[in-house]
Amino acid sequence: MVETALFNLENELLNAGSYLIKPSSDGTVIHQQLCALLERILSERPDNAADLVESYMRDERLSVGKTNMLTDSSKQIEYAALKLKLFEKIEDESVENEEEFFEVSLPNCSQLAFYFEQGSIGIGKEEIYHIFLSLKELISNVPLASVRFWGKIFGTQANYIIAEGEFKEGEGEDEKEVDDSIETEEKEDDTGDGPREKSTLKKKWKPKPPIPREAHRVGSNKKVYFVCNEPGEPWIKLPHVTPAEIVAARKIIKFFTGRLDTQIKSYPPFPGNESQLLRAQISRISACTQISPAGFYIFDDNDDEEEEDLEEAHKSYMVNDEFEGLSLNELTDPSMTSWVHHTHYLLPQGRCSWFNPYEKEDEDTDEEESEEEENKESIKPETGPTILSSVADDSNVGVHRAWSVRISSKVLPDYAVAVAHSNLWPGAVSIAKGKFFENLYVGWGQKYLPSYYNPPAPPDVQQEFPTGPETTEQEDPTAEEEKALKAKEEEEAGEEVENEEEENNDE
């Protein structure tokens, strides 16, 4: 009975909305008239608003006319044409085997929409259905082995719809692997006349070696991400993230505009445009907020493996076929001991795996260089929580816990889901029920700060070189001074000769 009543109420609301937006014979729409009337009343707030309604309606009827209706209609037609592409059947001659095309696991959008609605997560059924139709178009154009809806990041001009996926074996590896640690010794001259001559002077100062990015399918670049502003628009692949971008993104606060080619103006400067900043923020959010029920993933361990092989095996995981699911009481425990992180931790260096920038590559080095290398190799490698570590070990956010967990409905707990909200990254949500779980992010892409954000100050001005007689340049002597100095030296030399002759005669 309750479901029937809700269904009837929903139909009545839809019919009422359709009636209000229906244009009259002269092109006016009552919905626009009412909105304009309420907006004027709330902005002016007159004392006798009820007496002025009639005069306001006459004014608004003149100001809101056919022009706005035509403008709104053109936008609606544009929007409808964009969404209409999503419902068209894909007929690609290149797809010879339909079974191979449908091998890509596309999540169940109806199920996800239902659970997101149960968890009061701000993605409507209509929008999420359009997003999954757009994901279907993505897997038809890109050779992906898996894909899922990662989330939505708001922007000042447009929003980003983000999809996370993995390429099939042998696909998606055409991106150039840049090794930033290798630098050419001979650089072309600015005039183009050829390589510069090597200087005989030996430089004592050396810049800090750059940290290379992680390879494709490894660490922070294990997944590949695609973005678009609206479902139905073409998907754009984001580039792989570099450690320098992650380190710089941690030092700035910047809202997104929704345009990937926007230049980032900040201090410290960010090495890239908005597409690189978006990719860096996605990596940071995923590393902190991608969680799953404990026991759903396990390590592929063997008793016969050695310690080194065991450490290597603990860098990856697989689905536990024997996992039977956790109860809602376990999933909603405030201690969060029933949840684990299944994404690698991002080290302060900006990578998931530690890279020693001072590691010796060549054995033929000078003694001085070898001593410097030995000192530099004494640095301690950065460490962090291992994969599948408990969420209960996460640091608090100020006076709050890192996560807040609740049940979606206490009235009907048998049909409810467990909802975990991240307090460190507002907008990151995880839902779970039995063997099912899903992660989603809907927010501004910014981290929570317990205190006000203060931009970092520029570095201190470097001190000037100390001045003194030994460093101050002296003025050149005049010609007269040089002659007088030369005469004086000759006179002193003559006196020394005479003294030597007198000493010889005395002997």
Side-chain angles (χ1 to χ4, degrees):
M1 294 293 293
V2 176
E3 293 181 355
T4 306
L6 290 175
F7 180 75
N8 294 333
L9 179 60
E10 186 177 356
N11 286 338
E12 290 180 4
L13 291 174
L14 290 174
N15 294 332
S18 301
Y19 174 75
L20 290 175
I21 63 175
K22 183 179 179 181
S24 60
S25 58
D26 60 349
T28 58
V29 180
I30 189 173
H31 181 267
Q32 291 181 347
Q33 297 286 337
L34 293 174
C35 290
L37 174 65
L38 292 175
E39 183 179 359
R40 183 171 179 179
I41 292 175
L42 292 175
S43 60
E44 296 181 3
R45 295 183 182 273
D47 295 333
N48 54 343
D51 300 334
L52 299 175
V53 169
E54 187 175 355
S55 62
Y56 281 173
M57 284 296 294
R58 278 197 225 98
D59 296 341
E60 296 303 332
R61 186 175 179 80
L62 294 175
S63 60
V64 182
K66 297 181 180 179
T67 306
N68 289 339
M69 181 59 193
L70 291 174
T71 305
D72 294 341
S73 298
S74 62
K75 291 182 179 179
Q76 291 176 4
I77 292 172
E78 239 178 76
Y79 181 80
L82 181 65
K83 296 296 181 285
L84 184 61
K85 297 178 183 178
L86 298 175
F87 294 88
E88 294 177 353
K89 185 178 180 181
I90 301 175
E91 296 180 358
D92 191 354
E93 297 178 357
S94 61
V95 181
E96 298 178 355
N97 190 358
E98 293 185 0
E99 295 181 359
E100 183 179 353
F101 172 75
F102 288 106
E103 280 181 359
V104 182
S105 57
L106 193 65
N108 186 346
C109 62
S110 301
Q111 183 186 29
L112 290 178
F114 172 76
Y115 284 129
F116 289 154
E117 186 179 10
Q118 292 293 317
S120 302
I121 300 172
I123 295 289
K125 289 182 179 180
E126 181 180 351
E127 183 180 6
I128 199 170
Y129 188 71
H130 291 168
I131 289 173
F132 278 91
L133 288 178
S134 185
L135 291 179
K136 181 182 177 183
E137 183 181 358
L138 174 63
I139 63 176
S140 66
N141 298 325
V142 183
L144 296 175
S146 63
V147 67
R148 76 177 190 92
F149 175 45
W150 184 89
K152 183 178 182 179
I153 291 183
F154 303 126
T156 56
Q157 301 177 18
N159 302 327
Y160 286 118
I161 306 295
I162 304 169
E164 179 187 80
E166 286 186 278
F167 279 107
K168 295 179 180 178
E169 289 295 333
E171 299 288 348
E173 300 178 4
D174 54 346
E175 189 168 345
K176 294 181 180 179
E177 298 288 338
V178 181
D179 191 357
D180 299 328
S181 62
I182 300 174
E183 296 182 358
T184 55
E185 296 181 358
E186 296 182 356
K187 296 182 179 180
E188 295 295 330
D189 197 357
D190 296 339
T191 59
D193 296 335
R196 298 177 182 176
E197 295 181 359
K198 292 183 180 180
S199 175
T200 56
L201 298 176
K202 189 174 182 181
K203 297 180 181 179
K204 293 184 179 180
W205 179 84
K206 294 182 180 180
K208 186 177 179 181
I211 308 299
R213 68 170 173 83
E214 293 179 291
H216 181 59
R217 300 179 185 273
V218 177
S220 57
N221 292 321
K222 182 178 180 181
K223 304 286 186 178
V224 63
Y225 295 91
F226 298 85
V227 298
C228 66
N229 296 124
E230 280 288 339
E233 294 183 357
W235 291 92
I236 300 174
K237 178 180 174 296
L238 294 178
H240 282 321
V241 68
T242 63
E245 294 167 358
I246 293 177
V247 172
R250 287 169 171 162
K251 299 178 181 178
I252 63 175
I253 298 292
K254 201 75 174 177
F255 284 102
F256 295 100
T257 63
R259 304 288 179 258
L260 293 175
D261 57 350
T262 303
Q263 295 299 320
I264 304 299
K265 298 179 181 179
S266 64
Y267 183 83
F270 183 80
N273 55 18
E274 188 164 298
S275 63
Q276 278 91 2
L277 178 61
L278 177 62
R279 181 65 180 84
Q281 292 296 90
I282 290 174
S283 295
R284 295 178 61 199
I285 295 171
S286 298
C288 293
T289 63
Q290 298 286 336
I291 62 176
S292 58
F296 185 88
Y297 293 113
I298 58 173
F299 296 118
D300 187 11
D301 297 342
N302 293 324
D303 298 336
D304 299 335
E305 290 184 351
E306 299 179 357
E307 293 184 0
E308 296 181 357
D309 298 335
L310 198 60
E311 293 180 359
E312 189 68 24
H314 281 191
K315 293 182 180 180
S316 60
Y317 53 82
M318 65 179 187
V319 178
N320 184 12
D321 297 332
E322 299 179 357
F323 180 70
E324 297 180 355
L326 300 177
S327 63
L328 281 179
N329 291 332
E330 294 174 324
L331 292 173
T332 55
D333 186 2
S335 63
M336 294 293 290
T337 54
S338 300
W339 297 81
V340 296
H341 290 277
H342 60 266
T343 305
H344 288 280
Y345 175 78
L346 275 176
L347 300 172
Q349 189 184 54
R351 289 167 52 104
C352 294
S353 58
W354 164 252
F355 177 81
N356 187 359
Y358 302 109
E359 187 176 1
K360 291 186 294 184
E361 296 182 357
D362 298 329
E363 298 181 357
D364 299 334
T365 55
D366 299 335
E367 294 181 359
E368 296 180 359
E369 293 181 358
S370 61
E371 291 178 0
E372 293 179 0
E373 293 293 338
E374 289 178 1
N375 295 332
K376 292 172 182 176
E377 285 182 358
S378 61
I379 59 175
K380 296 181 180 179
E382 297 174 355
T383 58
T386 59
I387 198 170
L388 298 187
S389 60
S390 177
V391 176
D393 299 332
D394 291 359
S395 302
N396 291 342
V397 183
V399 295
H400 304 285
R401 292 175 177 267
W403 292 85
S404 299
V405 64
R406 62 180 177 83
I407 188 172
S408 62
S409 175
K410 294 182 180 179
V411 180
L412 297 173
D414 295 340
Y415 303 98
V417 295
V419 186
H421 295 265
S422 174
N423 296 324
L424 183 62
W425 290 95
V429 183
S430 298
I431 56 176
K433 179 180 176 63
K435 297 182 180 181
F436 169 81
F437 80 94
E438 187 57 58
N439 297 279
L440 183 70
Y441 179 83
V442 180
W444 289 92
Q446 301 300 328
K447 192 176 182 180
Y448 172 77
L449 297 177
S451 59
Y452 293 107
Y453 172 73
N454 293 321
D460 297 334
V461 179
Q462 294 184 354
Q463 297 180 354
E464 295 289 342
F465 196 84
T467 58
E470 65 280 357
T471 58
T472 305
E473 185 178 0
Q474 299 180 359
E475 296 181 359
D476 295 336
T478 62
E480 290 78 8
E481 291 176 349
E482 288 183 350
K483 290 180 181 179
L485 180 61
K486 188 175 182 180
K488 185 178 180 180
E489 290 177 352
E490 291 177 353
E491 185 180 352
E492 291 177 355
E495 290 178 358
E496 290 180 0
V497 172
E498 290 178 0
N499 293 335
E500 289 180 359
E501 291 179 353
E502 290 178 0
E503 290 178 358
N504 294 333
N505 294 333
D506 295 338
E507 290 178 356

